[in-house]
Amino acid sequence: MIEGLLRKVASLHHTLFGGRELLPHEQICLDAWRASLPEKGKRVLDAQLAAVRLIQHQASGAKVCFYYSDGENIPLFGDQQPDLHAATIVLRTAGGASGEQTMRVKMFVHRGRLFSIEFPKRPARYMQQHGMRPDALQVAAVEGHMVLS
């Protein structure tokens, strides 16, 4: 009974105070991955994103996790193993005198659902250290690591 009450309080807290917004560099990664998916994969991802109840930024933005309502019947990707590294998005920006700089970002699916976007470290710090301009980020490549149907 206490556990059920705590879940309801947590759910209410997330509904009232949790976010559902992505930062521009996160959205670029998600859009690039979506564009690389087959049509069925795009439909599954779109349905999942519509069902997200909370997007949580962890580790100073190095990890972005997607949470869904319990019991919600949303379509899943075909491979439903835990912790699947679905794709790597390579972001680039011209770095002036230092040349082109890149950042590799990982997309993870857990049990058929988009679970996280993972950066090599805090994105703002990484971009600062490597002379990358956040406003000039472009997708250099999308490397698919599994078939998501």
Side-chain angles (χ1 to χ4, degrees), residues 7-122:
R7 278 187 197 210
K8 288 185 186 218
V9 169
S11 178
L12 179 61
H13 179 272
H14 290 315
T15 299
L16 295 175
F17 304 108
R20 293 192 59 208
E21 299 295 320
L22 292 173
L23 297 173
H25 59 277
E26 298 162 351
Q27 190 66 55
I28 289 170
C29 295
L30 188 60
D31 291 344
W33 182 52
R34 183 188 181 282
S36 76
L37 294 173
E39 286 306 313
K40 183 178 178 186
K42 289 177 185 174
R43 286 192 301 272
V44 169
L45 180 60
D46 291 345
Q48 289 183 8
L49 292 172
V52 167
R53 72 173 172 86
L54 173 69
I55 296 174
Q56 186 179 60
H57 293 82
Q58 300 176 359
S60 297
K63 186 173 184 176
V64 181
C65 296
F66 297 80
Y67 295 96
Y68 307 86
S69 297
D70 290 338
E72 181 137 2
N73 188 16
I74 59 173
L76 302 174
F77 290 108
D79 195 336
Q80 296 178 21
Q81 296 180 49
D83 304 323
L84 293 171
H85 179 186
T88 299
I89 311 302
V90 181
L91 298 177
R92 69 180 164 110
T93 184
S98 62
E100 183 176 278
Q101 299 294 320
T102 63
M103 176 170 42
R104 298 177 67 77
V105 182
K106 298 177 181 178
M107 307 294 292
F108 282 91
V109 170
H110 179 73
R111 301 204 184 279
R113 290 184 180 177
L114 169 63
F115 178 70
S116 65
I117 302 172
E118 299 184 17
F119 293 84
K121 59 171 70 171
R122 297 183 330 232

